[in-house]
Amino acid sequence: MDLYEYQGKQLFGRFGIPVSEGRQATTPEEARAAAEELGGQVVVKAQVLTGGRGKAGGIKLADDPDDAEEKASQILGLDIRGHVVRTLWVERASEIAKEYYLSITFDRSAKQPLFMFTTQGGIEIEEVAEQDPAALVRLHVDPLEGFQPWHARRLVYGAAVADPGEQQQVAAIVGRLYDAFVGTDAMLCEINPLIVTPEGEVKALDSKFTVDDNALYKHPEIAAMRDLRADDPLEALAREKDVTYVKLDGEVGILGNGAGLVMSTLDVIALVGGRPANFCDLGGGGDAEGVVDALDVILRDEQVRSIFFNIFGGITRCDEVARGILAALERMTIEQPIVVRLDGTNAEEGRRVLADAAPEGLYVEATMLDGARRAVELADG
Ligand code: GDP
Ligand code: MN
């Protein structure tokens, strides 16, 4: 789950990472009131779950409450790469002497958290990594050893932060960021830019914060931060129906049982020249209810031209899934052709059940490859 900047900063604040004081606003009037309360120059910031807001006109300085109201009305409603601005964060403006970058994320191949730090902040970190890789300090933390003060020193000295006051503040922030990362079961905590003010104060001017969905049950206060309006409507519907679904860009709707099998199915569709429309895992169930729910979500995507059911019966029996599919077809009208491949426990019986009923537009294939070919062919046809 991705958090908005202001939510991430709220968590930063809780872990002792310095941030600027600010207020949320959803109307120009609220932005004016926020600026009045904060006093002085403020920055009005679009709250959207995407980066690069600055370049897209989603971040503007305002000199006084009038100006804040004006800037807010310019930013509200803006479409930033498909994300409509509905919420603003108005915070006391900072003077910036330097912009650094600090993040912690998981390095899956190393199976360890990874810190990245550079004094060349403010721009996309990918750019730094490409143009000046030596300037980007990377450091893993052994999760069994946990965070140790030397980690912070290695980052700070590795990036050649010269000022002792800065060294000390950055090192403290590094430790707190690790606490925030572990304490919230985060997958990414990024501060870009981490600024140094002309007075030498170091603080987080932005936040990018992603929390592991699977750990949200431990953090109800973070789970409550989810903005349902910002979710992809299909994925929101899927969550509601307890269907494991991820929307993709293609035309072949995919339904399988087991995440590994579904991922392989996506690959096989690509292999035979098609494009999967989604990832969808039926999980252990294959009853009519589960199939109807999954099909309901998959078919709301107007790009879907054919559907490929790829079922491997283990504990789930293929004949049960076959009956589930038939029951679902009775309950809903589906225009797109459906290809079914059943293998494993009771596959033959499952295929017989489907062959006996022989509903229109349903094709049974014996292998995953044949099924994928057929589904792609039908999507193209
Ligand atoms: P992003 O573009 O989505 O990454 O949004 P950021 O919060 O990182 O802001 C982008 C840029 O706006 C920063 O790198 C700063 O240059 C500028 N900015 C943001 N807040 C302030 C502020 O309080 N004062 C000043 N002077 N500039 C700011
Ligand atoms: Mn930023």
Side-chain angles (χ1 to χ4, degrees), residues 52-53 122 190 192-193 206-207:
R53 295 164 301 160
E190 184 187 81
N192 190 24
D206 191 9
S207 101

PDB file of all heavy atoms in Angstrom, residues 52-53 122 190 192-193 206-207, ligand 2:
ATOM      1  N   GLY A  52       7.333  12.981  -9.214  1.00  0.00           N
ATOM      2  CA  GLY A  52       7.507  14.020 -10.226  1.00  0.00           C
ATOM      3  C   GLY A  52       6.412  15.064 -10.230  1.00  0.00           C
ATOM      4  O   GLY A  52       6.084  15.642 -11.263  1.00  0.00           O
ATOM      5  N   ARG A  53       5.859  15.331  -9.048  1.00  0.00           N
ATOM      6  CA  ARG A  53       4.767  16.317  -8.980  1.00  0.00           C
ATOM      7  C   ARG A  53       5.275  17.707  -9.277  1.00  0.00           C
ATOM      8  O   ARG A  53       4.577  18.520  -9.861  1.00  0.00           O
ATOM      9  CB  ARG A  53       4.133  16.279  -7.578  1.00  0.00           C
ATOM     10  CG  ARG A  53       3.455  14.976  -7.267  1.00  0.00           C
ATOM     11  CD  ARG A  53       3.213  14.858  -5.779  1.00  0.00           C
ATOM     12  NE  ARG A  53       4.472  14.938  -5.038  1.00  0.00           N
ATOM     13  CZ  ARG A  53       4.569  15.232  -3.761  1.00  0.00           C
ATOM     14  NH1 ARG A  53       3.485  15.486  -3.060  1.00  0.00           N
ATOM     15  NH2 ARG A  53       5.745  15.278  -3.169  1.00  0.00           N
ATOM     16  N   GLY A 122      17.082  15.348  -4.988  1.00  0.00           N
ATOM     17  CA  GLY A 122      16.194  16.268  -5.693  1.00  0.00           C
ATOM     18  C   GLY A 122      15.807  15.783  -7.071  1.00  0.00           C
ATOM     19  O   GLY A 122      14.723  16.070  -7.550  1.00  0.00           O
ATOM     20  N   GLU A 190      11.400   6.417   1.327  1.00  0.00           N
ATOM     21  CA  GLU A 190      12.316   7.242   0.535  1.00  0.00           C
ATOM     22  C   GLU A 190      12.132   8.708   0.878  1.00  0.00           C
ATOM     23  O   GLU A 190      11.003   9.183   0.977  1.00  0.00           O
ATOM     24  CB  GLU A 190      12.033   7.015  -0.959  1.00  0.00           C
ATOM     25  CG  GLU A 190      12.993   7.762  -1.869  1.00  0.00           C
ATOM     26  CD  GLU A 190      12.575   7.659  -3.344  1.00  0.00           C
ATOM     27  OE1 GLU A 190      11.685   8.422  -3.759  1.00  0.00           O
ATOM     28  OE2 GLU A 190      13.140   6.825  -4.056  1.00  0.00           O
ATOM     29  N   ASN A 192      13.258  12.173  -0.687  1.00  0.00           N
ATOM     30  CA  ASN A 192      13.881  12.849  -1.833  1.00  0.00           C
ATOM     31  C   ASN A 192      13.133  14.134  -2.167  1.00  0.00           C
ATOM     32  O   ASN A 192      12.078  14.070  -2.762  1.00  0.00           O
ATOM     33  CB  ASN A 192      13.907  11.926  -3.046  1.00  0.00           C
ATOM     34  CG  ASN A 192      14.762  12.503  -4.175  1.00  0.00           C
ATOM     35  OD1 ASN A 192      15.639  13.307  -3.933  1.00  0.00           O
ATOM     36  ND2 ASN A 192      14.474  12.097  -5.401  1.00  0.00           N
ATOM     37  N   PRO A 193      13.611  15.267  -1.761  1.00  0.00           N
ATOM     38  CA  PRO A 193      14.928  15.470  -1.160  1.00  0.00           C
ATOM     39  C   PRO A 193      14.914  15.465   0.361  1.00  0.00           C
ATOM     40  O   PRO A 193      13.927  15.813   0.980  1.00  0.00           O
ATOM     41  CB  PRO A 193      15.285  16.876  -1.651  1.00  0.00           C
ATOM     42  CG  PRO A 193      13.959  17.580  -1.723  1.00  0.00           C
ATOM     43  CD  PRO A 193      12.959  16.531  -2.117  1.00  0.00           C
ATOM     44  N   ASP A 206      10.184  15.551   1.435  1.00  0.00           N
ATOM     45  CA  ASP A 206       9.221  14.729   0.693  1.00  0.00           C
ATOM     46  C   ASP A 206       9.235  13.341   1.334  1.00  0.00           C
ATOM     47  O   ASP A 206      10.184  13.002   2.057  1.00  0.00           O
ATOM     48  CB  ASP A 206       9.645  14.650  -0.790  1.00  0.00           C
ATOM     49  CG  ASP A 206       8.551  14.038  -1.670  1.00  0.00           C
ATOM     50  OD1 ASP A 206       7.428  13.829  -1.181  1.00  0.00           O
ATOM     51  OD2 ASP A 206       8.832  13.762  -2.869  1.00  0.00           O
ATOM     52  N   SER A 207       8.227  12.550   1.060  1.00  0.00           N
ATOM     53  CA  SER A 207       8.252  11.162   1.520  1.00  0.00           C
ATOM     54  C   SER A 207       7.585  10.270   0.500  1.00  0.00           C
ATOM     55  O   SER A 207       6.594  10.645  -0.128  1.00  0.00           O
ATOM     56  CB  SER A 207       7.526  11.012   2.861  1.00  0.00           C
ATOM     57  OG  SER A 207       6.226  10.498   2.673  1.00  0.00           O
TER      58      SER A 207
HETATM   59 MN    MN B   2      10.442  14.201  -4.225  1.00  0.00          MN
END
